[in-house]
Amino acid sequence: MSQPLIVVDRITKQVPDAGGVLTLLDQIEFQMEARQSAAIVGASGSGKSTLLSIIAGLDTPTAGTVRLAGTDLFSLTEDARAAVRAVSLAFVFQNFQLLGNLTALENVMLPLELQGRRNARAQASEMLDRVGLGARLRHYPKLLSGGEQQRVALARAFVVAPAVLLADEPTGSLDHATGERVMALMFDLNREAGTTLILVTHDHQIAARCDRQLHIEAGRLVQGGALNKYKRQPHQPSV
């Protein structure tokens, strides 16, 4: 039997506060198989984004660890973790995180150039065309709508063919209709690429599209095992 792609092993995160110690995450553990998708859901302040940051190796736990393809992220130096992220992980954020001084094409080219890809321009252009922005390559983020900016962010994430995609409230800055179309595109791209997806969301309809839902309450995983029987909806038009 093949090993899980992601193992979250008894993750605890504590920080000092005025009353002593505040526990943000308490003994969180679960596993993810390759190509599986999971939604982390829970109330605001329950620890969802903190957990996602630790899975990415961007934040360090007080106790426990995360293993990615068998590698213990927290046995590595910070530079080594960054190298793993550059090769294996991609991110989509609520506020897009595009570089305002770069065009849409240049934003998508950037991770390819950091990997030393020689055909970065052609790959980035093809990916932007795939998300419906082939005519907006030279536009800067400020000239794009919110939905278009998030599609650039999706293109930037998927262009490197990551093993794992982490998304933090990817529709939080979008209106409902635009968010629905962006998420339809994201799930289409994820299915085509065979990426393992972990997303943080407060939207239960989005969460229902994932294979699993991990429910966090006050830093504890209270539910999160079963595959769900959601049947994918027909493709929706791009934003």
Side-chain angles (χ1 to χ4, degrees), residues 95-102 104 107 141 144 148-150 152-154 156:
N95 59 353
F96 318 133
Q97 297 281 18
L98 301 179
L99 297 178
N101 62 328
L102 300 182
N107 266 283
L144 300 173
E148 288 172 332
Q149 289 185 62
Q150 194 60 295
V152 174
L154 287 175
R156 182 181 59 186

Side-chain angles (χ1 to χ4, degrees), residues 20-37:
V21 175
L22 177 64
T23 299
L24 302 178
L25 297 171
D26 187 5
Q27 296 282 308
I28 301 286
E29 55 183 344
F30 63 90
Q31 301 180 358
M32 294 280 295
E33 305 294 334
R35 296 176 175 262
Q36 199 174 46
S37 60

Side-chain angles (χ1 to χ4, degrees), residues 9-21:
D9 186 8
R10 293 171 291 179
I11 288 293
T12 294
K13 178 69 175 182
Q14 296 176 322
V15 296
D17 75 349
V21 175

Side-chain angles (χ1 to χ4, degrees), residues 96-117:
F96 318 133
Q97 297 281 18
L98 301 179
L99 297 178
N101 62 328
L102 300 182
T103 64
L105 179 61
E106 290 166 341
N107 266 283
V108 179
M109 287 174 60
L110 184 60
L112 295 168
E113 291 175 327
L114 292 174
Q115 290 186 1
R117 305 275 189 96

Side-chain angles (χ1 to χ4, degrees), residues 68-79:
L68 176 61
T71 298
D72 183 340
L73 292 183
F74 299 106
S75 69
L76 304 175
T77 65
E78 188 173 338
D79 286 346

Side-chain angles (χ1 to χ4, degrees), residues 145-167:
S145 70
E148 288 172 332
Q149 289 185 62
Q150 194 60 295
R151 281 190 281 154
V152 174
L154 287 175
R156 182 181 59 186
F158 280 103
V159 76
V160 294
V164 179
L165 176 68
L166 304 174

